[in-house]
Amino acid sequence: MEPQKPVVFLQGVRLYLRPLEVEDAPCATRWINDPDTRRFLGNYQPLNLASERAWIEGMYTSKTDVILAIVLMDGHRYIGNIGLHHIDHLNQTAETGMLIGEADCRGCGYGPEAKELLLRHAFQTLNLWTVRSNTVAGNARSNGSLLKSGYKEVGRMPDRFFREGEWQDEIQWVITRAMWQARQP
Ligand SMILES: CC(C)(COP(=O)(O)OP(=O)(O)OC[C@H]1O[C@@H](n2cnc3c(N)ncnc32)[C@H](O)[C@@H]1OP(=O)(O)O)[C@@H](O)C(=O)NCCC(=O)NCCS
């Protein structure tokens, strides 16, 4: 019997994005609880498998969120999640979030490649005009990856996050459709 073909929602060069499934919850639970990962994320409480499953299922009944699994073409390895949140069609805006959960897959440019697919979808399909992102100021890799994707810093909220005994600023980022289009070859 022929192996089943993968489900692909957005196709990239080294990776593709597919709908996130409840079966992905064990990986996502491992990633989101990992101390090295969660120090720059919003969650400070432990999150169990049931809460992760509920979060995934909730995304599909929400009209304001698009959540996708990042999968490498090579071996169809599931390495992270990416999403558009708080989609607001009146003001044509949304917020992006991303997690490359498998630590050995960070620093390989997979984040920016996945982000490019998501931005194309946001601007060319969903007809959004601005896409925003917020980071903890000390998250150098996340800041670097947003710059690489063409976002610009538009603001800072001082002492927005308390992390590992220290106050950290929030950096607010934005990319508009015009900025994104100007970067296209
Ligand atoms: C943040 C994250 C999504 C970035 O994805 P990634 O695939 O690892 O991105 P990359 O490391 O390839 O980064 C792209 C750019 O960031 C820059 N960068 C990477 N690490 C950096 C660092 N420590 N300091 C400064 N810039 C850095 C580089 O300039 C790189 O561009 P280059 O390829 O031209 O050199 C991913 O590392 C991740 O999920 N980390 C853990 C969770 C997290 O912090 N999520 C984001 C919450 S807002």
Side-chain angles (χ1 to χ4, degrees):
M1 207 165 71
E2 242 186 86
Q4 211 178 345
K5 292 207 173 110
V7 176
V8 176
F9 186 71
L10 297 170
Q11 181 68 63
V13 178
R14 295 180 300 162
L15 55 82
Y16 60 92
L17 307 183
R18 63 153 170 80
L20 197 64
E21 298 290 352
V22 170
E23 290 69 29
D24 297 319
C27 272
T29 308
R30 173 165 56 82
W31 299 337
I32 203 114
N33 283 287
D34 179 76
D36 268 351
T37 304
R38 72 179 152 77
R39 68 198 175 110
F40 291 128
L41 302 177
N43 61 301
Y44 53 88
Q45 301 276 38
L47 290 167
N48 67 3
L49 192 55
S51 62
E52 201 59 21
R53 281 197 179 118
W55 177 74
I56 294 171
E57 277 174 340
M59 289 290 166
Y60 288 98
T61 53
S62 150
K63 291 201 178 355
T64 57
D65 294 271
V66 171
I67 180 85
L68 293 158
I70 306 171
V71 184
L72 298 186
M73 297 289 292
D74 187 9
H76 302 286
R77 185 177 174 203
Y78 168 47
I79 62 162
N81 297 331
I82 188 165
L84 283 168
H85 306 282
H86 313 296
I87 298 170
D88 170 352
H89 287 292
L90 174 65
N91 297 300
Q92 294 180 256
T93 189
E95 197 175 310
T96 47
M98 176 160 58
L99 167 65
I100 302 292
E102 298 297 344
D104 64 308
C105 293
R106 293 181 192 146
C108 309
Y110 293 135
E113 185 176 337
K115 183 61 71 65
E116 186 56 27
L117 293 173
L118 190 74
L119 289 176
R120 177 173 293 279
H121 182 66
F123 294 129
Q124 303 287 74
T125 302
L126 299 181
N127 198 20
L128 299 183
W129 182 247
T130 58
V131 168
R132 298 165 283 121
S133 189
N134 300 321
T135 57
V136 178
N139 192 352
R141 192 187 291 283
S142 187
N143 296 334
S145 95
L146 288 167
L147 279 171
K148 190 173 178 184
S149 294
Y151 289 66
K152 75 169 179 195
E153 182 180 330
V154 289
R156 253 174 202 258
M157 186 170 298
D159 294 348
R160 170 72 176 77
F161 302 110
F162 190 68
R163 289 288 190 283
E164 296 174 334
E166 285 181 2
W167 288 104
Q168 292 218 26
D169 294 354
E170 173 187 72
I171 307 184
Q172 296 152 347
W173 302 85
V174 76
I175 181 166
T176 64
R177 190 194 302 171
M179 287 160 66
W180 176 80
Q181 262 164 349
R183 290 166 46 87
Q184 298 309 303

